[in-house]
Amino acid sequence: LLTSLVTPAWAQQTSLREASAQAQQTQAALQEKIDAADDETRELLTRLRDASRDASRLERYNEELSRRNETQAALIERRREAIDQLSVTREALPGLLRDMVTRLRTLIEADLPFLREERLARVQSLESMLDDSEMAAADKLDRVLSAWRTELDYGREMDTWQGTLVGDEARQVDYLRVGRVGLYYLTPDGRSGAVWRADERAWQPLEGDALDELRKGM
């Protein structure tokens, strides 16, 4: 009877221990899964943050690239327009150069009569150059612009020199030029002088104070 009473209790305790061990194993396995899931979650969060940063960098890069593309497209368009304009200019250049040389001759012929032979010789050289088919258009343009710059410089300079008198080549005089505003001459002895009247295209003698000022100017 005692044995029959003890055995069930022992068996019951064994069963409880086994059940407890099984529960512990199950709990451990569940904890491992939870830990693994937690590690995986943290890794996924890390990847998500990295991906978010990469996406932000990519977005900023795309914005910058878009601005660069717009700038590049505008530059390409300006260059295309410049090329088109250059083509038109190249076709018009010969006529433009000839017109500039013609205008230069007209200016010199209507201007104060200083260094006239030298300046007209320069124009004649340009006219001959324009007929040179072997000379590059760019070189022709450089020479024409150089001649124009020389003429423009005359308007900003004061100059004196000796030469034959315009209208009386037998006389030697001293000239004074003030830009393109005034052209004067004084005889070597300083006793007489005159100013060029552009409207009359003739010399007007100077006397008294005007002649004294001319001597000072010289």
Side-chain angles (χ1 to χ4, degrees):
L1 178 61
L2 181 60
T3 303
S4 62
L5 292 174
V6 173
T7 300
W10 175 83
Q12 186 176 9
Q13 290 177 356
T14 301
S15 177
L16 288 174
R17 285 196 298 270
E18 291 177 351
S20 177
Q22 183 66 32
Q24 290 177 358
Q25 292 177 358
T26 301
Q27 184 67 27
L30 179 60
Q31 186 62 44
E32 289 179 359
K33 290 182 180 180
I34 292 174
D35 292 342
D38 189 47
D39 292 340
E40 184 178 359
T41 300
R42 284 195 295 269
E43 183 179 356
L44 289 175
L45 287 174
T46 300
R47 292 181 180 178
L48 180 60
R49 285 193 294 267
D50 292 343
S52 178
R53 286 194 294 268
D54 290 343
S56 297
R57 285 195 296 267
L58 183 60
E59 183 177 356
R60 291 193 298 271
Y61 174 75
N62 286 338
E63 291 176 355
E64 179 65 22
L65 187 61
S66 177
R67 287 193 292 268
R68 290 182 182 180
N69 286 341
E70 292 176 0
T71 302
Q72 189 69 18
L75 178 60
I76 291 174
E77 179 63 19
R78 289 197 299 270
R79 288 181 176 176
R80 185 191 64 78
E81 293 176 355
I83 291 174
D84 293 341
Q85 185 63 35
L86 181 61
S87 178
V88 174
T89 303
R90 185 181 295 112
E91 294 176 359
L93 187 58
L96 177 64
L97 292 177
R98 195 167 295 277
D99 179 63
M100 290 178 69
V101 173
T102 299
R103 288 165 55 195
L104 188 60
R105 176 180 284 279
T106 301
L107 169 66
I108 293 173
E109 291 176 346
D111 199 12
L112 300 177
F114 64 92
L115 307 177
R116 179 181 292 268
E117 293 182 2
E118 175 185 328
R119 296 159 71 197
L120 288 177
R122 187 181 299 120
V123 172
Q124 185 174 357
S125 175
L126 293 177
E127 290 170 343
S128 299
M129 175 201 68
L130 294 179
D131 295 330
D132 186 354
S133 59
E134 296 183 358
M135 189 173 185
D139 294 335
K140 293 180 180 180
L141 178 60
D142 284 342
R143 284 193 56 185
V144 172
L145 292 178
S146 176
W148 268 97
R149 281 192 293 268
T150 298
E151 287 295 326
L152 293 176
D153 287 342
Y154 287 143
R156 297 189 289 264
E157 298 173 349
M158 291 183 64
D159 193 14
T160 59
W161 70 97
Q162 290 183 339
T164 58
L165 180 62
V166 174
D168 187 357
E169 296 184 356
R171 299 178 62 188
Q172 286 284 327
V173 295
D174 295 323
Y175 284 104
L176 170 65
R177 178 177 61 82
V178 182
R180 283 193 162 84
V181 178
L183 179 64
Y184 308 85
Y185 81 79
L186 187 67
T187 56
D189 58 13
R191 293 181 178 180
S192 62
V195 59
W196 179 260
R197 293 292 303 270
D199 53 346
E200 299 178 3
R201 301 193 65 79
W203 294 105
Q204 175 182 326
L206 296 177
E207 298 177 351
D209 293 341
L211 187 58
D212 289 339
E213 291 299 320
L214 176 57
R215 294 191 187 100
K216 293 178 183 179
M218 287 292 187

